[in-house]
Amino acid sequence: MSRRTRRHAARRVARRAAAPRRLLLGALGTAGAIVLGVLAGGGTFALWTAAAPAAAAVTLQAGSSGLTVTPVDLSATGLYPGRTISGATTVRNTGTTPLALTIDRVTSSTAATPFTSAVAVTVGPAASVADCTAGRIAASATTGVGAAAASDLGLTLAPGASQLLCIGVGLPQTAPAAAAGEAASVLTITISGTQVRR
């Protein structure tokens, strides 16, 4: 065998020996590509399905509003122009939201007369019942029987809070003479609370 033939034979043997290694490297490269593809695909899949529980449960609950008012018993006997009689009432916020107070309306149990048309109703905050009945309270709102608009008292009650109010019923000095001697009627004074935004 010549030297040249031996060289060709050695190359063939070397190529045959290297072929499995090249196939193995190619297969490993393909396997590596497949593993990377699966990992990349798995990463994308995990991203789309990621989830975490809420740290704490949240409960939503609606607020409520409510007012209670103690009754006031006033007698208009002997009422004359320039005189006001007063009585105290306690208003309490029984709801869960702050309420701004107003005199919503004053109504009479009878049809309007010169007397009821002349009556002025005043309301203001009082420090004590004694101050109220003695007439030492400055009115924060004044209205008449059948007035269309509500009168703002300038007071806001927090939830659970209460306020002593002094209600006065009087005849102004300018009351007409026709109001004299008129029969008294039952007056209903409505105090309302409107929710205040926090």
Side-chain angles (χ1 to χ4, degrees):
M1 188 186 277
S2 69
R3 189 184 293 172
R4 188 173 179 184
T5 307
R6 277 198 303 264
R7 231 184 286 142
H8 283 302
R11 281 186 194 150
R12 275 197 301 271
V13 170
R15 273 199 298 263
R16 276 192 217 124
R21 201 169 91 183
R22 277 199 309 271
L23 286 174
L24 181 62
L25 287 175
L28 286 176
T30 305
I34 291 169
V35 169
L36 287 175
V38 169
L39 286 178
T44 304
F45 179 76
L47 180 66
W48 282 101
T49 59
V58 177
T59 302
L60 297 179
Q61 185 173 352
S64 64
S65 62
L67 276 181
T68 59
V69 181
T70 57
V72 181
D73 188 15
L74 295 174
S75 173
T77 303
L79 196 62
Y80 53 83
R83 183 177 181 213
T84 298
I85 55 170
S86 302
T89 181
T90 300
V91 180
R92 178 178 294 277
N93 182 348
T94 59
T96 59
T97 58
L99 297 175
L101 301 182
T102 59
I103 304 174
D104 195 35
R105 64 186 175 275
V106 178
T107 58
S108 171
S109 61
T110 62
T113 66
F115 175 76
T116 57
S117 298
V119 165
V121 176
T122 58
V123 180
S128 68
V129 174
D131 283 346
C132 176
T133 54
R136 294 191 293 264
I137 301 300
S140 55
T142 302
T143 189
V145 176
S151 298
D152 185 10
L153 293 177
L155 295 171
T156 298
L157 277 185
S162 59
Q163 174 67 56
L164 187 68
L165 294 179
C166 187
I167 297 179
V169 176
L171 283 176
Q173 293 282 2
T174 56
E182 287 276 353
S185 61
V186 176
L187 297 182
T188 301
I189 301 166
T190 303
I191 297 175
S192 297
T194 304
Q195 180 183 343
V196 177
R197 290 189 182 187
R198 299 188 191 197

Short mmCIF file of all heavy atoms in Angstrom, two decimals, residues 39-117:
data_model
loop_
_atom_site.label_atom_id
_atom_site.label_comp_id
_atom_site.label_asym_id
_atom_site.label_seq_id
_atom_site.Cartn_x
_atom_site.Cartn_y
_atom_site.Cartn_z
N LEU A 39 -38.43 25.90 27.31
CA LEU A 39 -38.29 26.84 28.42
C LEU A 39 -38.89 28.21 28.07
O LEU A 39 -39.58 28.82 28.85
CB LEU A 39 -36.83 26.99 28.81
CG LEU A 39 -36.22 25.81 29.57
CD1 LEU A 39 -34.75 26.07 29.85
CD2 LEU A 39 -36.96 25.54 30.87
N ALA A 40 -38.62 28.65 26.83
CA ALA A 40 -39.17 29.94 26.41
C ALA A 40 -40.69 29.87 26.35
O ALA A 40 -41.39 30.75 26.83
CB ALA A 40 -38.60 30.33 25.05
N GLY A 41 -41.20 28.78 25.78
CA GLY A 41 -42.65 28.62 25.72
C GLY A 41 -43.25 28.50 27.10
O GLY A 41 -44.27 29.10 27.41
N GLY A 42 -42.59 27.74 27.97
CA GLY A 42 -43.08 27.59 29.34
C GLY A 42 -43.08 28.92 30.07
O GLY A 42 -43.98 29.23 30.83
N GLY A 43 -42.06 29.74 29.82
CA GLY A 43 -42.01 31.05 30.47
C GLY A 43 -43.17 31.91 30.03
O GLY A 43 -43.80 32.56 30.84
N THR A 44 -43.48 31.88 28.75
CA THR A 44 -44.61 32.65 28.25
C THR A 44 -45.91 32.12 28.85
O THR A 44 -46.77 32.88 29.27
CB THR A 44 -44.66 32.57 26.71
OG1 THR A 44 -43.42 33.02 26.20
CG2 THR A 44 -45.78 33.41 26.16
N PHE A 45 -46.02 30.80 28.92
CA PHE A 45 -47.23 30.20 29.48
C PHE A 45 -47.39 30.59 30.94
O PHE A 45 -48.46 30.97 31.38
CB PHE A 45 -47.15 28.66 29.33
CG PHE A 45 -48.33 27.96 29.90
CD1 PHE A 45 -49.55 27.95 29.23
CD2 PHE A 45 -48.26 27.33 31.13
CE1 PHE A 45 -50.65 27.32 29.75
CE2 PHE A 45 -49.36 26.69 31.66
CZ PHE A 45 -50.55 26.67 30.97
N ALA A 46 -46.29 30.55 31.70
CA ALA A 46 -46.36 30.91 33.12
C ALA A 46 -46.76 32.38 33.29
O ALA A 46 -47.48 32.72 34.19
CB ALA A 46 -45.02 30.64 33.78
N LEU A 47 -46.29 33.23 32.38
CA LEU A 47 -46.62 34.64 32.46
C LEU A 47 -48.12 34.86 32.30
O LEU A 47 -48.71 35.65 33.02
CB LEU A 47 -45.85 35.41 31.38
CG LEU A 47 -46.09 36.90 31.33
CD1 LEU A 47 -45.55 37.57 32.57
CD2 LEU A 47 -45.45 37.50 30.10
N TRP A 48 -48.73 34.12 31.39
CA TRP A 48 -50.17 34.29 31.14
C TRP A 48 -51.03 33.69 32.24
O TRP A 48 -52.16 34.06 32.42
CB TRP A 48 -50.54 33.65 29.81
CG TRP A 48 -50.17 34.50 28.65
CD1 TRP A 48 -49.09 34.36 27.85
CD2 TRP A 48 -50.84 35.66 28.18
NE1 TRP A 48 -49.05 35.34 26.91
CE2 TRP A 48 -50.13 36.16 27.09
CE3 TRP A 48 -52.00 36.33 28.59
CZ2 TRP A 48 -50.51 37.29 26.39
CZ3 TRP A 48 -52.39 37.45 27.89
CH2 TRP A 48 -51.65 37.92 26.81
N THR A 49 -50.49 32.74 32.98
CA THR A 49 -51.31 32.09 34.00
C THR A 49 -50.88 32.48 35.42
O THR A 49 -51.32 31.87 36.37
CB THR A 49 -51.21 30.56 33.86
OG1 THR A 49 -49.85 30.18 34.00
CG2 THR A 49 -51.76 30.10 32.54
N ALA A 50 -50.05 33.49 35.55
CA ALA A 50 -49.61 33.90 36.89
C ALA A 50 -50.80 34.42 37.69
O ALA A 50 -51.66 35.11 37.17
CB ALA A 50 -48.54 34.97 36.79
N ALA A 51 -50.86 34.06 38.96
CA ALA A 51 -51.95 34.51 39.83
C ALA A 51 -51.44 34.62 41.24
O ALA A 51 -50.51 33.93 41.63
CB ALA A 51 -53.12 33.53 39.77
N ALA A 52 -52.04 35.54 42.00
CA ALA A 52 -51.68 35.69 43.41
C ALA A 52 -52.94 35.96 44.21
O ALA A 52 -53.82 36.69 43.75
CB ALA A 52 -50.69 36.84 43.59
N PRO A 53 -53.07 35.38 45.39
CA PRO A 53 -54.27 35.63 46.20
C PRO A 53 -54.25 37.05 46.75
O PRO A 53 -53.19 37.65 46.93
CB PRO A 53 -54.16 34.59 47.32
CG PRO A 53 -52.70 34.33 47.42
CD PRO A 53 -52.15 34.45 46.03
N ALA A 54 -55.45 37.61 47.02
CA ALA A 54 -55.54 38.95 47.62
C ALA A 54 -54.96 38.89 49.02
O ALA A 54 -55.08 37.89 49.73
CB ALA A 54 -56.99 39.40 47.68
N ALA A 55 -54.29 39.98 49.42
CA ALA A 55 -53.67 40.02 50.74
C ALA A 55 -54.71 39.92 51.84
O ALA A 55 -54.51 39.28 52.85
CB ALA A 55 -52.85 41.30 50.89
N ALA A 56 -55.86 40.59 51.66
CA ALA A 56 -56.91 40.54 52.67
C ALA A 56 -58.26 40.73 51.99
O ALA A 56 -58.36 41.38 50.96
CB ALA A 56 -56.69 41.63 53.71
N ALA A 57 -59.28 40.17 52.56
CA ALA A 57 -60.62 40.33 52.00
C ALA A 57 -61.14 41.74 52.28
O ALA A 57 -60.83 42.33 53.30
CB ALA A 57 -61.56 39.30 52.62
N VAL A 58 -61.89 42.29 51.34
CA VAL A 58 -62.46 43.63 51.50
C VAL A 58 -63.97 43.51 51.52
O VAL A 58 -64.56 42.87 50.65
CB VAL A 58 -62.02 44.54 50.33
CG1 VAL A 58 -62.68 45.90 50.46
CG2 VAL A 58 -60.51 44.69 50.30
N THR A 59 -64.60 44.09 52.53
CA THR A 59 -66.05 44.07 52.64
C THR A 59 -66.58 45.47 52.39
O THR A 59 -66.12 46.42 53.01
CB THR A 59 -66.49 43.62 54.04
OG1 THR A 59 -65.93 42.33 54.29
CG2 THR A 59 -68.01 43.55 54.15
N LEU A 60 -67.52 45.60 51.47
CA LEU A 60 -68.16 46.88 51.20
C LEU A 60 -69.51 46.92 51.90
O LEU A 60 -70.27 45.96 51.84
CB LEU A 60 -68.36 47.07 49.69
CG LEU A 60 -67.10 47.13 48.85
CD1 LEU A 60 -67.46 47.30 47.38
CD2 LEU A 60 -66.22 48.28 49.30
N GLN A 61 -69.78 48.04 52.57
CA GLN A 61 -71.05 48.17 53.28
C GLN A 61 -71.59 49.57 53.07
O GLN A 61 -70.85 50.55 53.16
CB GLN A 61 -70.83 47.91 54.78
CG GLN A 61 -72.11 47.90 55.56
CD GLN A 61 -71.89 47.47 57.01
OE1 GLN A 61 -70.81 47.06 57.37
NE2 GLN A 61 -72.91 47.57 57.81
N ALA A 62 -72.87 49.66 52.77
CA ALA A 62 -73.50 50.96 52.54
C ALA A 62 -73.69 51.69 53.87
O ALA A 62 -73.89 51.08 54.91
CB ALA A 62 -74.85 50.77 51.86
N GLY A 63 -73.58 53.02 53.81
CA GLY A 63 -73.84 53.83 54.99
C GLY A 63 -75.34 54.01 55.19
O GLY A 63 -76.15 53.63 54.35
N SER A 64 -75.71 54.59 56.32
CA SER A 64 -77.12 54.83 56.58
C SER A 64 -77.27 56.20 57.22
O SER A 64 -76.32 56.76 57.74
CB SER A 64 -77.69 53.77 57.53
OG SER A 64 -77.04 53.84 58.80
N SER A 65 -78.47 56.74 57.16
CA SER A 65 -78.74 58.02 57.80
C SER A 65 -80.04 57.91 58.58
O SER A 65 -80.96 57.18 58.19
CB SER A 65 -78.84 59.15 56.77
OG SER A 65 -79.91 58.91 55.88
N GLY A 66 -80.10 58.62 59.71
CA GLY A 66 -81.30 58.60 60.52
C GLY A 66 -81.25 59.70 61.57
O GLY A 66 -80.17 60.02 62.07
N LEU A 67 -82.40 60.28 61.87
CA LEU A 67 -82.51 61.33 62.88
C LEU A 67 -83.64 60.98 63.85
O LEU A 67 -84.67 60.46 63.44
CB LEU A 67 -82.87 62.68 62.24
CG LEU A 67 -81.79 63.56 61.65
CD1 LEU A 67 -82.41 64.83 61.09
CD2 LEU A 67 -80.72 63.90 62.66
N THR A 68 -83.41 61.26 65.13
CA THR A 68 -84.51 61.21 66.09
C THR A 68 -84.63 62.59 66.71
O THR A 68 -83.63 63.28 66.92
CB THR A 68 -84.25 60.16 67.19
OG1 THR A 68 -83.05 60.48 67.89
CG2 THR A 68 -84.15 58.76 66.60
N VAL A 69 -85.87 63.00 66.98
CA VAL A 69 -86.14 64.31 67.57
C VAL A 69 -87.12 64.12 68.72
O VAL A 69 -88.15 63.46 68.55
CB VAL A 69 -86.74 65.28 66.52
CG1 VAL A 69 -86.99 66.65 67.13
CG2 VAL A 69 -85.84 65.40 65.31
N THR A 70 -86.78 64.68 69.88
CA THR A 70 -87.71 64.59 71.01
C THR A 70 -88.85 65.60 70.80
O THR A 70 -88.63 66.66 70.22
CB THR A 70 -87.00 64.86 72.34
OG1 THR A 70 -86.38 66.14 72.28
CG2 THR A 70 -85.94 63.80 72.62
N PRO A 71 -90.06 65.29 71.27
CA PRO A 71 -91.19 66.20 71.04
C PRO A 71 -91.08 67.49 71.85
O PRO A 71 -90.45 67.54 72.90
CB PRO A 71 -92.40 65.38 71.48
CG PRO A 71 -91.86 64.33 72.39
CD PRO A 71 -90.45 64.07 71.95
N VAL A 72 -91.68 68.54 71.31
CA VAL A 72 -91.73 69.85 71.98
C VAL A 72 -93.20 70.21 72.16
O VAL A 72 -93.98 70.14 71.22
CB VAL A 72 -91.04 70.94 71.12
CG1 VAL A 72 -91.09 72.28 71.83
CG2 VAL A 72 -89.61 70.56 70.82
N ASP A 73 -93.56 70.58 73.38
CA ASP A 73 -94.95 70.95 73.67
C ASP A 73 -94.98 72.43 74.03
O ASP A 73 -94.55 72.82 75.13
CB ASP A 73 -95.49 70.09 74.81
CG ASP A 73 -96.98 70.28 75.01
OD1 ASP A 73 -97.63 70.85 74.10
OD2 ASP A 73 -97.49 69.89 76.08
N LEU A 74 -95.45 73.26 73.12
CA LEU A 74 -95.54 74.70 73.34
C LEU A 74 -96.99 75.14 73.29
O LEU A 74 -97.76 74.65 72.47
CB LEU A 74 -94.74 75.46 72.27
CG LEU A 74 -93.23 75.24 72.24
CD1 LEU A 74 -92.62 75.94 71.04
CD2 LEU A 74 -92.60 75.76 73.52
N SER A 75 -97.34 76.07 74.15
CA SER A 75 -98.70 76.61 74.14
C SER A 75 -98.64 78.07 73.69
O SER A 75 -97.86 78.86 74.21
CB SER A 75 -99.32 76.53 75.54
OG SER A 75 -100.57 77.20 75.54
N ALA A 76 -99.47 78.40 72.70
CA ALA A 76 -99.49 79.76 72.16
C ALA A 76 -100.51 80.65 72.89
O ALA A 76 -100.79 81.76 72.46
CB ALA A 76 -99.82 79.71 70.66
N THR A 77 -101.03 80.17 74.01
CA THR A 77 -102.01 80.96 74.77
C THR A 77 -101.37 82.28 75.22
O THR A 77 -100.29 82.29 75.80
CB THR A 77 -102.48 80.18 76.01
OG1 THR A 77 -103.02 78.94 75.57
CG2 THR A 77 -103.53 80.96 76.77
N GLY A 78 -102.03 83.36 74.92
CA GLY A 78 -101.54 84.66 75.33
C GLY A 78 -100.43 85.20 74.46
O GLY A 78 -99.75 86.16 74.83
N LEU A 79 -100.21 84.58 73.30
CA LEU A 79 -99.17 85.07 72.39
C LEU A 79 -99.62 86.39 71.78
O LEU A 79 -100.76 86.52 71.33
CB LEU A 79 -98.93 84.02 71.29
CG LEU A 79 -97.64 84.14 70.48
CD1 LEU A 79 -96.42 83.99 71.37
CD2 LEU A 79 -97.61 83.10 69.38
N TYR A 80 -98.76 87.38 71.78
CA TYR A 80 -99.10 88.69 71.23
C TYR A 80 -97.90 89.22 70.44
O TYR A 80 -96.78 88.67 70.55
CB TYR A 80 -99.48 89.68 72.34
CG TYR A 80 -98.46 89.78 73.44
CD1 TYR A 80 -97.34 90.60 73.31
CD2 TYR A 80 -98.62 89.05 74.62
CE1 TYR A 80 -96.40 90.68 74.32
CE2 TYR A 80 -97.68 89.13 75.63
CZ TYR A 80 -96.57 89.96 75.48
OH TYR A 80 -95.63 90.03 76.48
N PRO A 81 -98.09 90.25 69.60
CA PRO A 81 -96.98 90.77 68.80
C PRO A 81 -95.79 91.17 69.67
O PRO A 81 -95.95 91.88 70.67
CB PRO A 81 -97.60 91.99 68.10
CG PRO A 81 -99.05 91.66 68.00
CD PRO A 81 -99.36 90.92 69.28
N GLY A 82 -94.63 90.63 69.30
CA GLY A 82 -93.41 90.91 70.04
C GLY A 82 -93.06 89.84 71.06
O GLY A 82 -91.98 89.86 71.63
N ARG A 83 -93.95 88.87 71.27
CA ARG A 83 -93.66 87.81 72.25
C ARG A 83 -93.33 86.50 71.53
O ARG A 83 -93.97 86.15 70.54
CB ARG A 83 -94.85 87.59 73.18
CG ARG A 83 -94.54 86.54 74.24
CD ARG A 83 -95.67 86.35 75.22
NE ARG A 83 -95.27 85.34 76.21
CZ ARG A 83 -96.08 84.50 76.79
NH1 ARG A 83 -97.36 84.54 76.51
NH2 ARG A 83 -95.65 83.64 77.68
N THR A 84 -92.33 85.78 72.09
CA THR A 84 -91.95 84.46 71.58
C THR A 84 -91.92 83.47 72.73
O THR A 84 -91.39 83.79 73.81
CB THR A 84 -90.56 84.50 70.90
OG1 THR A 84 -90.60 85.39 69.79
CG2 THR A 84 -90.12 83.12 70.43
N ILE A 85 -92.48 82.30 72.51
CA ILE A 85 -92.39 81.22 73.50
C ILE A 85 -91.42 80.17 72.95
O ILE A 85 -91.34 79.94 71.74
CB ILE A 85 -93.77 80.58 73.79
CG1 ILE A 85 -94.42 80.12 72.48
CG2 ILE A 85 -94.66 81.55 74.53
CD1 ILE A 85 -95.65 79.29 72.68
N SER A 86 -90.65 79.55 73.84
CA SER A 86 -89.59 78.65 73.39
C SER A 86 -89.62 77.33 74.14
O SER A 86 -90.01 77.26 75.31
CB SER A 86 -88.21 79.30 73.58
OG SER A 86 -88.14 80.51 72.87
N GLY A 87 -89.18 76.29 73.45
CA GLY A 87 -89.06 74.96 74.05
C GLY A 87 -87.87 74.24 73.45
O GLY A 87 -87.45 74.53 72.32
N ALA A 88 -87.29 73.32 74.21
CA ALA A 88 -86.07 72.62 73.77
C ALA A 88 -86.40 71.23 73.23
O ALA A 88 -87.33 70.57 73.70
CB ALA A 88 -85.09 72.52 74.92
N THR A 89 -85.60 70.81 72.27
CA THR A 89 -85.69 69.45 71.72
C THR A 89 -84.27 68.94 71.48
O THR A 89 -83.35 69.74 71.26
CB THR A 89 -86.49 69.43 70.40
OG1 THR A 89 -86.57 68.08 69.92
CG2 THR A 89 -85.83 70.26 69.32
N THR A 90 -84.12 67.65 71.54
CA THR A 90 -82.81 67.05 71.27
C THR A 90 -82.86 66.29 69.96
O THR A 90 -83.73 65.43 69.76
CB THR A 90 -82.38 66.09 72.40
OG1 THR A 90 -82.31 66.83 73.62
CG2 THR A 90 -81.01 65.48 72.11
N VAL A 91 -81.95 66.61 69.06
CA VAL A 91 -81.84 65.93 67.76
C VAL A 91 -80.62 65.03 67.81
O VAL A 91 -79.53 65.48 68.20
CB VAL A 91 -81.71 66.96 66.61
CG1 VAL A 91 -81.61 66.25 65.27
CG2 VAL A 91 -82.88 67.91 66.62
N ARG A 92 -80.79 63.77 67.43
CA ARG A 92 -79.68 62.81 67.46
C ARG A 92 -79.50 62.18 66.08
O ARG A 92 -80.49 61.81 65.42
CB ARG A 92 -79.93 61.71 68.49
CG ARG A 92 -78.83 60.64 68.54
CD ARG A 92 -79.10 59.59 69.60
NE ARG A 92 -79.03 60.16 70.93
CZ ARG A 92 -77.90 60.34 71.61
NH1 ARG A 92 -76.74 60.00 71.06
NH2 ARG A 92 -77.93 60.85 72.82
N ASN A 93 -78.24 62.05 65.65
CA ASN A 93 -77.91 61.37 64.40
C ASN A 93 -77.76 59.88 64.71
O ASN A 93 -76.80 59.47 65.37
CB ASN A 93 -76.61 61.94 63.81
CG ASN A 93 -76.24 61.29 62.49
OD1 ASN A 93 -76.80 60.27 62.09
ND2 ASN A 93 -75.29 61.87 61.79
N THR A 94 -78.69 59.07 64.26
CA THR A 94 -78.66 57.62 64.53
C THR A 94 -78.04 56.83 63.38
O THR A 94 -78.03 55.60 63.42
CB THR A 94 -80.09 57.11 64.80
OG1 THR A 94 -80.89 57.38 63.64
CG2 THR A 94 -80.69 57.77 66.02
N GLY A 95 -77.55 57.53 62.36
CA GLY A 95 -76.98 56.84 61.20
C GLY A 95 -75.47 56.74 61.28
O GLY A 95 -74.86 56.93 62.33
N THR A 96 -74.86 56.45 60.13
CA THR A 96 -73.40 56.27 60.05
C THR A 96 -72.74 57.35 59.20
O THR A 96 -71.54 57.26 58.93
CB THR A 96 -73.07 54.89 59.45
OG1 THR A 96 -73.66 54.80 58.14
CG2 THR A 96 -73.60 53.76 60.32
N THR A 97 -73.51 58.36 58.78
CA THR A 97 -72.95 59.44 57.97
C THR A 97 -73.25 60.78 58.62
O THR A 97 -74.28 60.93 59.27
CB THR A 97 -73.55 59.44 56.55
OG1 THR A 97 -74.97 59.59 56.65
CG2 THR A 97 -73.23 58.15 55.80
N PRO A 98 -72.37 61.78 58.47
CA PRO A 98 -72.64 63.11 59.03
C PRO A 98 -73.85 63.74 58.33
O PRO A 98 -74.05 63.55 57.13
CB PRO A 98 -71.37 63.91 58.72
CG PRO A 98 -70.35 62.93 58.26
CD PRO A 98 -71.07 61.72 57.79
N LEU A 99 -74.65 64.49 59.09
CA LEU A 99 -75.87 65.10 58.54
C LEU A 99 -75.88 66.60 58.81
O LEU A 99 -75.67 67.04 59.94
CB LEU A 99 -77.11 64.46 59.16
CG LEU A 99 -77.32 62.96 58.90
CD1 LEU A 99 -78.52 62.46 59.69
CD2 LEU A 99 -77.50 62.69 57.42
N ALA A 100 -76.15 67.38 57.75
CA ALA A 100 -76.35 68.82 57.88
C ALA A 100 -77.83 69.07 58.16
O ALA A 100 -78.70 68.55 57.45
CB ALA A 100 -75.91 69.53 56.60
N LEU A 101 -78.13 69.85 59.20
CA LEU A 101 -79.51 70.03 59.65
C LEU A 101 -80.18 71.25 59.00
O LEU A 101 -79.56 72.30 58.85
CB LEU A 101 -79.55 70.19 61.16
CG LEU A 101 -78.98 69.03 61.98
CD1 LEU A 101 -79.13 69.31 63.47
CD2 LEU A 101 -79.66 67.72 61.62
N THR A 102 -81.45 71.08 58.67
CA THR A 102 -82.27 72.17 58.14
C THR A 102 -83.68 72.07 58.72
O THR A 102 -84.11 71.00 59.16
CB THR A 102 -82.40 72.12 56.60
OG1 THR A 102 -82.98 70.86 56.22
CG2 THR A 102 -81.06 72.28 55.91
N ILE A 103 -84.39 73.22 58.76
CA ILE A 103 -85.83 73.18 59.02
C ILE A 103 -86.45 72.96 57.65
O ILE A 103 -86.39 73.84 56.79
CB ILE A 103 -86.37 74.49 59.61
CG1 ILE A 103 -85.62 74.85 60.89
CG2 ILE A 103 -87.86 74.36 59.91
CD1 ILE A 103 -86.03 76.21 61.43
N ASP A 104 -87.00 71.77 57.45
CA ASP A 104 -87.51 71.43 56.13
C ASP A 104 -88.80 72.18 55.83
O ASP A 104 -88.97 72.76 54.77
CB ASP A 104 -87.73 69.92 56.05
CG ASP A 104 -87.91 69.44 54.63
OD1 ASP A 104 -87.26 70.02 53.74
OD2 ASP A 104 -88.70 68.51 54.39
N ARG A 105 -89.73 72.18 56.80
CA ARG A 105 -90.99 72.89 56.59
C ARG A 105 -91.73 73.01 57.92
O ARG A 105 -91.48 72.26 58.86
CB ARG A 105 -91.87 72.18 55.56
CG ARG A 105 -92.31 70.81 55.95
CD ARG A 105 -93.06 70.10 54.82
NE ARG A 105 -93.39 68.74 55.19
CZ ARG A 105 -92.56 67.71 55.06
NH1 ARG A 105 -91.35 67.91 54.57
NH2 ARG A 105 -92.92 66.50 55.41
N VAL A 106 -92.65 73.96 57.97
CA VAL A 106 -93.56 74.13 59.11
C VAL A 106 -94.97 74.13 58.54
O VAL A 106 -95.29 74.91 57.63
CB VAL A 106 -93.30 75.45 59.87
CG1 VAL A 106 -94.29 75.61 61.01
CG2 VAL A 106 -91.87 75.51 60.37
N THR A 107 -95.80 73.23 59.04
CA THR A 107 -97.17 73.12 58.52
C THR A 107 -98.16 73.32 59.67
O THR A 107 -97.84 73.12 60.85
CB THR A 107 -97.42 71.75 57.87
OG1 THR A 107 -97.16 70.72 58.83
CG2 THR A 107 -96.52 71.56 56.65
N SER A 108 -99.37 73.71 59.31
CA SER A 108 -100.44 73.94 60.29
C SER A 108 -101.53 72.90 60.10
O SER A 108 -101.77 72.43 58.99
CB SER A 108 -101.02 75.35 60.09
OG SER A 108 -102.17 75.53 60.88
N SER A 109 -102.18 72.54 61.20
CA SER A 109 -103.27 71.55 61.14
C SER A 109 -104.55 72.13 60.55
O SER A 109 -105.49 71.40 60.25
CB SER A 109 -103.55 70.99 62.54
OG SER A 109 -103.96 72.04 63.40
N THR A 110 -104.59 73.46 60.39
CA THR A 110 -105.77 74.11 59.82
C THR A 110 -105.38 74.90 58.59
O THR A 110 -104.18 75.09 58.31
CB THR A 110 -106.42 75.08 60.84
OG1 THR A 110 -105.47 76.10 61.16
CG2 THR A 110 -106.83 74.35 62.11
N ALA A 111 -106.38 75.37 57.88
CA ALA A 111 -106.10 76.23 56.72
C ALA A 111 -105.44 77.52 57.21
O ALA A 111 -105.57 77.91 58.38
CB ALA A 111 -107.39 76.54 55.99
N ALA A 112 -104.70 78.15 56.32
CA ALA A 112 -103.99 79.38 56.69
C ALA A 112 -104.95 80.44 57.19
O ALA A 112 -106.04 80.63 56.64
CB ALA A 112 -103.21 79.89 55.49
N THR A 113 -104.57 81.10 58.27
CA THR A 113 -105.34 82.20 58.85
C THR A 113 -104.39 83.39 59.01
O THR A 113 -103.16 83.21 58.89
CB THR A 113 -105.91 81.81 60.23
OG1 THR A 113 -104.79 81.62 61.14
CG2 THR A 113 -106.74 80.54 60.16
N PRO A 114 -104.90 84.58 59.30
CA PRO A 114 -103.99 85.70 59.56
C PRO A 114 -103.00 85.40 60.69
O PRO A 114 -101.86 85.84 60.66
CB PRO A 114 -104.94 86.85 59.93
CG PRO A 114 -106.21 86.54 59.21
CD PRO A 114 -106.31 85.03 59.26
N PHE A 115 -103.46 84.62 61.68
CA PHE A 115 -102.58 84.26 62.80
C PHE A 115 -101.44 83.34 62.35
O PHE A 115 -100.28 83.62 62.58
CB PHE A 115 -103.40 83.60 63.91
CG PHE A 115 -102.55 83.10 65.05
CD1 PHE A 115 -102.01 83.99 65.98
CD2 PHE A 115 -102.29 81.75 65.20
CE1 PHE A 115 -101.23 83.53 67.03
CE2 PHE A 115 -101.51 81.29 66.24
CZ PHE A 115 -100.98 82.17 67.16
N THR A 116 -101.80 82.20 61.71
CA THR A 116 -100.75 81.25 61.30
C THR A 116 -99.84 81.86 60.24
O THR A 116 -98.65 81.53 60.19
CB THR A 116 -101.36 79.93 60.78
OG1 THR A 116 -102.24 80.22 59.68
CG2 THR A 116 -102.12 79.20 61.87
N SER A 117 -100.38 82.73 59.41
CA SER A 117 -99.55 83.36 58.38
C SER A 117 -98.53 84.33 59.00
O SER A 117 -97.48 84.58 58.42
CB SER A 117 -100.42 84.11 57.38
OG SER A 117 -101.28 83.21 56.71
#
